[in-house]
mmCIF file of all heavy atoms in Angstrom:
data_model
loop_
_atom_site.group_PDB
_atom_site.id
_atom_site.type_symbol
_atom_site.label_atom_id
_atom_site.label_comp_id
_atom_site.label_asym_id
_atom_site.label_seq_id
_atom_site.Cartn_x
_atom_site.Cartn_y
_atom_site.Cartn_z
ATOM 1 N N ARG A 25 -253.768 23.091 73.265
ATOM 2 C CA ARG A 25 -253.106 21.803 73.520
ATOM 3 C C ARG A 25 -252.198 21.477 72.358
ATOM 4 O O ARG A 25 -252.615 21.503 71.209
ATOM 5 C CB ARG A 25 -254.144 20.698 73.679
ATOM 6 C CG ARG A 25 -254.994 20.895 74.883
ATOM 7 C CD ARG A 25 -255.963 19.783 75.038
ATOM 8 N NE ARG A 25 -256.789 20.091 76.192
ATOM 9 C CZ ARG A 25 -257.864 19.434 76.515
ATOM 10 N NH1 ARG A 25 -258.265 18.429 75.785
ATOM 11 N NH2 ARG A 25 -258.559 19.771 77.571
ATOM 12 N N LYS A 26 -250.979 21.171 72.689
ATOM 13 C CA LYS A 26 -250.018 20.812 71.658
ATOM 14 C C LYS A 26 -250.085 19.306 71.468
ATOM 15 O O LYS A 26 -249.488 18.543 72.223
ATOM 16 C CB LYS A 26 -248.612 21.249 72.059
ATOM 17 C CG LYS A 26 -247.596 21.066 70.975
ATOM 18 C CD LYS A 26 -246.259 21.618 71.395
ATOM 19 C CE LYS A 26 -245.251 21.416 70.317
ATOM 20 N NZ LYS A 26 -243.946 21.918 70.710
ATOM 21 N N ARG A 27 -250.851 18.913 70.467
ATOM 22 C CA ARG A 27 -251.040 17.500 70.212
ATOM 23 C C ARG A 27 -250.803 17.240 68.730
ATOM 24 O O ARG A 27 -251.316 17.968 67.878
ATOM 25 C CB ARG A 27 -252.464 17.102 70.580
ATOM 26 C CG ARG A 27 -252.720 15.624 70.458
ATOM 27 C CD ARG A 27 -254.089 15.294 70.924
ATOM 28 N NE ARG A 27 -255.048 16.060 70.120
ATOM 29 C CZ ARG A 27 -256.312 15.712 69.955
ATOM 30 N NH1 ARG A 27 -256.794 14.666 70.562
ATOM 31 N NH2 ARG A 27 -257.112 16.437 69.217
ATOM 32 N N ILE A 28 -250.034 16.249 68.416
ATOM 33 C CA ILE A 28 -249.738 15.907 67.035
ATOM 34 C C ILE A 28 -250.927 15.146 66.469
ATOM 35 O O ILE A 28 -251.310 14.098 66.987
ATOM 36 C CB ILE A 28 -248.448 15.077 66.929
ATOM 37 C CG1 ILE A 28 -247.272 15.901 67.436
ATOM 38 C CG2 ILE A 28 -248.209 14.630 65.497
ATOM 39 C CD1 ILE A 28 -245.969 15.144 67.507
ATOM 40 N N MET A 29 -251.511 15.704 65.418
ATOM 41 C CA MET A 29 -252.690 15.093 64.806
ATOM 42 C C MET A 29 -252.335 13.841 64.012
ATOM 43 O O MET A 29 -253.101 12.898 63.969
ATOM 44 C CB MET A 29 -253.403 16.099 63.900
ATOM 45 C CG MET A 29 -253.881 17.341 64.632
ATOM 46 S SD MET A 29 -255.051 16.984 65.942
ATOM 47 C CE MET A 29 -256.507 16.671 64.999
ATOM 48 N N VAL A 30 -251.167 13.853 63.359
ATOM 49 C CA VAL A 30 -250.720 12.701 62.577
ATOM 50 C C VAL A 30 -249.328 12.338 63.082
ATOM 51 O O VAL A 30 -248.319 12.863 62.596
ATOM 52 C CB VAL A 30 -250.685 13.021 61.069
ATOM 53 C CG1 VAL A 30 -250.289 11.786 60.262
ATOM 54 C CG2 VAL A 30 -252.013 13.572 60.588
ATOM 55 N N PRO A 31 -249.243 11.448 64.075
ATOM 56 C CA PRO A 31 -247.938 11.121 64.682
ATOM 57 C C PRO A 31 -246.890 10.652 63.676
ATOM 58 O O PRO A 31 -245.707 10.907 63.856
ATOM 59 C CB PRO A 31 -248.268 10.008 65.679
ATOM 60 C CG PRO A 31 -249.722 10.168 65.966
ATOM 61 C CD PRO A 31 -250.328 10.733 64.715
ATOM 62 N N GLU A 32 -247.324 10.011 62.595
ATOM 63 C CA GLU A 32 -246.388 9.505 61.596
ATOM 64 C C GLU A 32 -245.661 10.633 60.868
ATOM 65 O O GLU A 32 -244.622 10.422 60.255
ATOM 66 C CB GLU A 32 -247.119 8.640 60.562
ATOM 67 C CG GLU A 32 -247.815 7.430 61.135
ATOM 68 C CD GLU A 32 -249.193 7.750 61.724
ATOM 69 O OE1 GLU A 32 -249.787 8.795 61.391
ATOM 70 O OE2 GLU A 32 -249.663 6.947 62.537
ATOM 71 N N SER A 33 -246.186 11.848 60.939
ATOM 72 C CA SER A 33 -245.593 12.964 60.210
ATOM 73 C C SER A 33 -244.469 13.666 60.977
ATOM 74 O O SER A 33 -243.783 14.515 60.416
ATOM 75 C CB SER A 33 -246.671 13.993 59.864
ATOM 76 O OG SER A 33 -247.124 14.624 61.041
ATOM 77 N N LYS A 34 -244.274 13.328 62.239
ATOM 78 C CA LYS A 34 -243.296 14.033 63.067
ATOM 79 C C LYS A 34 -241.889 14.014 62.469
ATOM 80 O O LYS A 34 -241.245 15.056 62.351
ATOM 81 C CB LYS A 34 -243.275 13.465 64.481
ATOM 82 C CG LYS A 34 -242.373 14.249 65.403
ATOM 83 C CD LYS A 34 -242.475 13.828 66.827
ATOM 84 C CE LYS A 34 -241.544 14.690 67.653
ATOM 85 N NZ LYS A 34 -241.849 14.694 69.036
ATOM 86 N N GLN A 35 -241.416 12.850 62.066
ATOM 87 C CA GLN A 35 -240.063 12.739 61.506
ATOM 88 C C GLN A 35 -239.955 13.485 60.183
ATOM 89 O O GLN A 35 -238.943 14.141 59.914
ATOM 90 C CB GLN A 35 -239.660 11.272 61.333
ATOM 91 C CG GLN A 35 -238.236 11.085 60.828
ATOM 92 C CD GLN A 35 -237.199 11.744 61.736
ATOM 93 O OE1 GLN A 35 -237.247 11.617 62.940
ATOM 94 N NE2 GLN A 35 -236.271 12.470 61.138
ATOM 95 N N THR A 36 -240.996 13.421 59.369
ATOM 96 C CA THR A 36 -240.993 14.126 58.087
ATOM 97 C C THR A 36 -240.901 15.630 58.303
ATOM 98 O O THR A 36 -240.144 16.327 57.616
ATOM 99 C CB THR A 36 -242.264 13.784 57.287
ATOM 100 O OG1 THR A 36 -242.318 12.376 57.093
ATOM 101 C CG2 THR A 36 -242.275 14.481 55.943
ATOM 102 N N MET A 37 -241.650 16.161 59.262
ATOM 103 C CA MET A 37 -241.618 17.586 59.546
ATOM 104 C C MET A 37 -240.269 18.011 60.115
ATOM 105 O O MET A 37 -239.765 19.089 59.804
ATOM 106 C CB MET A 37 -242.748 17.979 60.493
ATOM 107 C CG MET A 37 -244.118 17.901 59.853
ATOM 108 S SD MET A 37 -244.278 18.921 58.370
ATOM 109 C CE MET A 37 -244.285 20.552 59.077
ATOM 110 N N GLU A 38 -239.660 17.183 60.942
ATOM 111 C CA GLU A 38 -238.321 17.484 61.469
ATOM 112 C C GLU A 38 -237.303 17.549 60.334
ATOM 113 O O GLU A 38 -236.458 18.440 60.304
ATOM 114 C CB GLU A 38 -237.899 16.446 62.509
ATOM 115 C CG GLU A 38 -238.594 16.589 63.839
ATOM 116 C CD GLU A 38 -238.256 17.901 64.546
ATOM 117 O OE1 GLU A 38 -237.093 18.345 64.507
ATOM 118 O OE2 GLU A 38 -239.191 18.487 65.128
ATOM 119 N N SER A 39 -237.395 16.619 59.394
ATOM 120 C CA SER A 39 -236.489 16.624 58.241
ATOM 121 C C SER A 39 -236.708 17.860 57.384
ATOM 122 O O SER A 39 -235.752 18.484 56.914
ATOM 123 C CB SER A 39 -236.711 15.374 57.388
ATOM 124 O OG SER A 39 -236.394 14.221 58.120
ATOM 125 N N PHE A 40 -237.973 18.226 57.197
ATOM 126 C CA PHE A 40 -238.321 19.407 56.416
ATOM 127 C C PHE A 40 -237.770 20.662 57.088
ATOM 128 O O PHE A 40 -237.178 21.529 56.438
ATOM 129 C CB PHE A 40 -239.841 19.471 56.271
ATOM 130 C CG PHE A 40 -240.352 20.624 55.456
ATOM 131 C CD1 PHE A 40 -239.764 20.984 54.257
ATOM 132 C CD2 PHE A 40 -241.453 21.336 55.881
ATOM 133 C CE1 PHE A 40 -240.258 22.040 53.506
ATOM 134 C CE2 PHE A 40 -241.961 22.389 55.148
ATOM 135 C CZ PHE A 40 -241.360 22.739 53.951
ATOM 136 N N LYS A 41 -237.922 20.750 58.407
ATOM 137 C CA LYS A 41 -237.412 21.900 59.157
ATOM 138 C C LYS A 41 -235.893 22.006 59.023
ATOM 139 O O LYS A 41 -235.351 23.095 58.803
ATOM 140 C CB LYS A 41 -237.811 21.783 60.627
ATOM 141 C CG LYS A 41 -237.340 22.932 61.482
ATOM 142 C CD LYS A 41 -237.941 22.941 62.874
ATOM 143 C CE LYS A 41 -237.756 21.675 63.630
ATOM 144 N NZ LYS A 41 -238.246 21.732 65.011
ATOM 145 N N THR A 42 -235.198 20.886 59.107
ATOM 146 C CA THR A 42 -233.743 20.871 58.967
ATOM 147 C C THR A 42 -233.327 21.298 57.562
ATOM 148 O O THR A 42 -232.384 22.078 57.393
ATOM 149 C CB THR A 42 -233.192 19.467 59.281
ATOM 150 O OG1 THR A 42 -233.579 19.116 60.608
ATOM 151 C CG2 THR A 42 -231.685 19.414 59.163
ATOM 152 N N GLU A 43 -234.049 20.811 56.550
ATOM 153 C CA GLU A 43 -233.759 21.172 55.162
ATOM 154 C C GLU A 43 -233.922 22.682 54.952
ATOM 155 O O GLU A 43 -233.065 23.335 54.342
ATOM 156 C CB GLU A 43 -234.715 20.417 54.238
ATOM 157 C CG GLU A 43 -234.627 20.799 52.788
ATOM 158 C CD GLU A 43 -235.725 20.154 51.966
ATOM 159 O OE1 GLU A 43 -236.114 19.014 52.260
ATOM 160 O OE2 GLU A 43 -236.193 20.816 51.022
ATOM 161 N N VAL A 44 -234.999 23.250 55.487
ATOM 162 C CA VAL A 44 -235.248 24.684 55.346
ATOM 163 C C VAL A 44 -234.178 25.478 56.088
ATOM 164 O O VAL A 44 -233.640 26.457 55.561
ATOM 165 C CB VAL A 44 -236.664 25.048 55.844
ATOM 166 C CG1 VAL A 44 -236.839 26.548 55.952
ATOM 167 C CG2 VAL A 44 -237.721 24.457 54.927
ATOM 168 N N ALA A 45 -233.845 25.067 57.300
ATOM 169 C CA ALA A 45 -232.820 25.768 58.080
ATOM 170 C C ALA A 45 -231.484 25.766 57.343
ATOM 171 O O ALA A 45 -230.802 26.793 57.287
ATOM 172 C CB ALA A 45 -232.673 25.127 59.457
ATOM 173 N N ASN A 46 -231.128 24.630 56.779
ATOM 174 C CA ASN A 46 -229.871 24.552 56.023
ATOM 175 C C ASN A 46 -229.887 25.484 54.818
ATOM 176 O O ASN A 46 -228.888 26.131 54.521
ATOM 177 C CB ASN A 46 -229.592 23.122 55.576
ATOM 178 C CG ASN A 46 -229.193 22.230 56.722
ATOM 179 O OD1 ASN A 46 -228.722 22.689 57.751
ATOM 180 N ND2 ASN A 46 -229.395 20.934 56.564
ATOM 181 N N SER A 47 -231.016 25.554 54.120
ATOM 182 C CA SER A 47 -231.092 26.422 52.942
ATOM 183 C C SER A 47 -231.017 27.898 53.325
ATOM 184 O O SER A 47 -230.629 28.734 52.505
ATOM 185 C CB SER A 47 -232.360 26.144 52.140
ATOM 186 O OG SER A 47 -233.499 26.622 52.813
ATOM 187 N N LEU A 48 -231.400 28.231 54.567
ATOM 188 C CA LEU A 48 -231.334 29.610 55.052
ATOM 189 C C LEU A 48 -230.030 29.891 55.807
ATOM 190 O O LEU A 48 -229.870 30.973 56.370
ATOM 191 C CB LEU A 48 -232.526 29.891 55.970
ATOM 192 C CG LEU A 48 -233.904 29.826 55.330
ATOM 193 C CD1 LEU A 48 -234.988 29.930 56.388
ATOM 194 C CD2 LEU A 48 -234.058 30.906 54.279
ATOM 195 N N ASN A 49 -229.143 28.909 55.857
ATOM 196 C CA ASN A 49 -227.869 29.023 56.581
ATOM 197 C C ASN A 49 -228.063 29.305 58.063
ATOM 198 O O ASN A 49 -227.326 30.092 58.665
ATOM 199 C CB ASN A 49 -226.961 30.081 55.953
ATOM 200 C CG ASN A 49 -226.524 29.706 54.569
ATOM 201 O OD1 ASN A 49 -226.222 28.547 54.304
ATOM 202 N ND2 ASN A 49 -226.518 30.659 53.673
ATOM 203 N N VAL A 50 -229.062 28.649 58.649
ATOM 204 C CA VAL A 50 -229.310 28.746 60.084
ATOM 205 C C VAL A 50 -228.837 27.441 60.708
ATOM 206 O O VAL A 50 -229.220 26.354 60.264
ATOM 207 C CB VAL A 50 -230.809 28.971 60.391
ATOM 208 C CG1 VAL A 50 -231.067 28.951 61.885
ATOM 209 C CG2 VAL A 50 -231.281 30.283 59.786
ATOM 210 N N ASN A 51 -227.988 27.539 61.722
ATOM 211 C CA ASN A 51 -227.436 26.357 62.374
ATOM 212 C C ASN A 51 -228.476 25.763 63.327
ATOM 213 O O ASN A 51 -228.678 26.260 64.429
ATOM 214 C CB ASN A 51 -226.158 26.714 63.129
ATOM 215 C CG ASN A 51 -225.476 25.505 63.691
ATOM 216 O OD1 ASN A 51 -225.704 24.386 63.252
ATOM 217 N ND2 ASN A 51 -224.623 25.721 64.674
ATOM 218 N N LEU A 52 -229.131 24.699 62.896
ATOM 219 C CA LEU A 52 -230.153 24.029 63.691
ATOM 220 C C LEU A 52 -229.571 22.723 64.215
ATOM 221 O O LEU A 52 -229.022 21.927 63.456
ATOM 222 C CB LEU A 52 -231.370 23.761 62.801
ATOM 223 C CG LEU A 52 -232.679 23.434 63.468
ATOM 224 C CD1 LEU A 52 -233.150 24.606 64.317
ATOM 225 C CD2 LEU A 52 -233.726 23.105 62.434
ATOM 226 N N LYS A 53 -229.665 22.526 65.533
ATOM 227 C CA LYS A 53 -229.118 21.316 66.150
ATOM 228 C C LYS A 53 -230.254 20.338 66.463
ATOM 229 O O LYS A 53 -231.419 20.719 66.479
ATOM 230 C CB LYS A 53 -228.413 21.640 67.463
ATOM 231 C CG LYS A 53 -227.527 22.835 67.466
ATOM 232 C CD LYS A 53 -226.878 23.022 68.820
ATOM 233 C CE LYS A 53 -227.771 23.639 69.839
ATOM 234 N NZ LYS A 53 -227.971 25.054 69.789
#
Side-chain angles (χ1 to χ4, degrees):
R25 295 182 183 170
K26 187 175 179 181
R27 185 176 58 157
I28 298 174
M29 300 300 284
V30 183
E32 300 82 19
S33 69
K34 185 172 181 161
Q35 183 57 46
T36 302
M37 290 303 289
E38 286 296 321
S39 297
F40 181 44
K41 181 170 54 175
T42 302
E43 174 188 325
V44 169
N46 288 337
S47 72
L48 296 172
N49 295 320
V50 175
N51 186 20
L52 197 63
K53 316 181 281 281

